[in-house]
Amino acid sequence: MEVRIQALEAAINYWRARQPARGNEYALSAPVSRLAGVYARMIYYRQDAIAADSLEAATLALIEAWRLDAGSIHGDSHAE
């Protein structure tokens, strides 16, 4: 299975809404930071998708939580 960059963007926005940046420096929450690291690597390497089995379990859990919560409400057109 692959995770498409659009799905990752949606998961980041989902977690940003649930756990917004805090403090004077507007530090990202842990879930957003974890997902943003993967997103940054995908942008750097110009990848449209990444193999799910190449991601850490914690990262996959965040994406799966988004899919189960937001995806069930809005439909997950980003899953493959």
Side-chain angles (χ1 to χ4, degrees), residues 48-63:
D48 292 331
I50 190 167
D53 61 2
S54 71
L55 299 174
E56 294 180 6
T59 303
L60 284 174
L62 293 170
I63 294 168

Side-chain angles (χ1 to χ4, degrees), residues 7-62:
L8 191 55
E9 289 170 344
I12 289 169
N13 289 331
Y14 170 82
W15 284 105
R16 281 183 58 219
R18 291 182 64 93
Q19 296 183 19
R22 298 186 189 266
N24 291 338
E25 63 282 343
Y26 295 104
L28 297 175
S29 66
V32 175
S33 181
R34 177 176 292 280
L35 293 169
V38 175
Y39 183 79
R41 286 191 303 276
M42 289 177 72
I43 294 295
Y44 182 81
Y45 291 111
R46 299 179 180 176
Q47 295 174 294
D48 292 331
I50 190 167
D53 61 2
S54 71
L55 299 174
E56 294 180 6
T59 303
L60 284 174
L62 293 170

